[in-house]
């Protein structure tokens, strides 16, 4: 799995659009350029529904190794609001995971 803790926020954002949204949700006729960073993903924006929200949560673990277990529904809703908020959530999660891992050779 890719080490996401060393990747820029912009790269994470582009991966969210391409791998997590377009490919995972099989969005036809949508390109990464069509998805504005701040466009709401649900309802009026991209028009995703609750089934697709679940698929995004599964994809967070599969693509980025980020799990959403234990996160309150309100917080999760904020994290999944748009491509930018998802990318920031991933960045914070992978950096936190990297800090918790023991440094090589410290054991």
């Amino acid at each position: 799995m890719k080490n996401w803790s060393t990747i820029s926020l912009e790269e994470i954002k582009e991966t969210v659009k391409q791998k997590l949204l377009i490919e995972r949700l099989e969005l036809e006729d949508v390109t990464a350029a069509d998805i504005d960073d701040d466009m709401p993903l649900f309802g009026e924006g991209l028009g995703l529904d609750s089934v697709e929200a679940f698929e995004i949560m599964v994809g967070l673990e599969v693509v980025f190794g980020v799990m959403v277990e234990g996160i309150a529904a309100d917080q999760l809703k904020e994290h999944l609001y748009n491509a930018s908020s998802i990318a920031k959530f991933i960045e914070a999660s992978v950096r936190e995971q990297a800090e918790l891992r023991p440094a090589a050779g410290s054991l």
Side-chain angles (χ1 to χ4, degrees):
M1 184 177 284
K2 195 171 191 170
N3 182 359
W4 292 102
S5 65
T6 59
I7 306 296
S8 74
L9 183 61
E10 287 304 313
E11 262 185 281
I12 294 172
K13 212 179 293 180
E14 290 307 310
T15 304
V16 164
K17 291 177 184 178
Q18 188 62 45
K19 300 282 184 197
L20 199 59
L21 298 175
I22 295 171
E23 293 177 19
R24 188 155 189 94
L25 301 179
E26 299 178 356
L27 300 179
E28 296 178 4
D29 301 325
V30 177
T31 67
D34 295 332
I35 304 172
D36 185 71
D37 292 352
D38 299 320
M39 170 194 289
L41 299 178
F42 302 93
E44 67 196 50
L46 198 54
L48 302 181
D49 60 25
S50 60
V51 173
E52 291 162 320
F54 179 76
E55 193 58 38
I56 291 170
M57 290 185 280
V58 172
L60 284 169
E61 183 175 354
V62 172
V63 177
F64 298 100
V66 172
M67 299 184 64
V68 297
E69 293 173 6
I71 298 176
D74 288 349
Q75 283 183 310
L76 193 53
K77 189 175 178 179
E78 290 176 18
H79 293 316
L80 300 181
Y81 183 71
N82 57 34
S84 185
S85 64
I86 293 174
K88 288 176 184 171
F89 170 63
I90 292 166
E91 181 183 50
S93 296
V94 296
R95 296 237 161 99
E96 183 180 310
Q97 289 172 6
E99 290 173 7
L100 294 175
R101 266 186 247 128
S106 66
L107 294 177

